[in-house]
Amino acid sequence: MSQKGAGLGELLLFDAIDRTSKAAQVVSGVSLVVDAKPAAVEFYTSYGFEQMLDHPLKLFLPY
């Protein structure tokens, strides 16, 4: 059964952002980086991720 459209990706992304932002405070991290599939770029940009100019499938979310 397909889970596409059920909101699981959003929940997983929010969990990852929460966990990595907490870790970033301890180790002085500055952003979360994802290596996206072409079909997922729009998903990540809708949550504020920015594409790297030289690698458009790598996106980052600054803390």
Side-chain angles (χ1 to χ4, degrees), residues 11-61:
L11 291 175
L12 290 169
L13 178 60
F14 289 169
D15 183 59
I17 292 169
D18 181 56
R19 289 172 186 253
T20 57
S21 66
K22 288 175 183 173
Q25 293 173 5
V26 175
V27 297
S28 301
V30 295
S31 69
L32 173 61
V33 177
V34 296
D35 190 10
K37 294 180 179 180
V41 170
E42 186 176 333
F43 170 79
Y44 287 111
T45 57
S46 73
Y47 290 100
F49 282 77
E50 300 175 31
Q51 290 177 284
M52 294 185 184
L53 296 177
D54 55 344
H55 298 286
L57 295 181
K58 292 193 185 292
L59 297 96
F60 68 97
L61 181 67

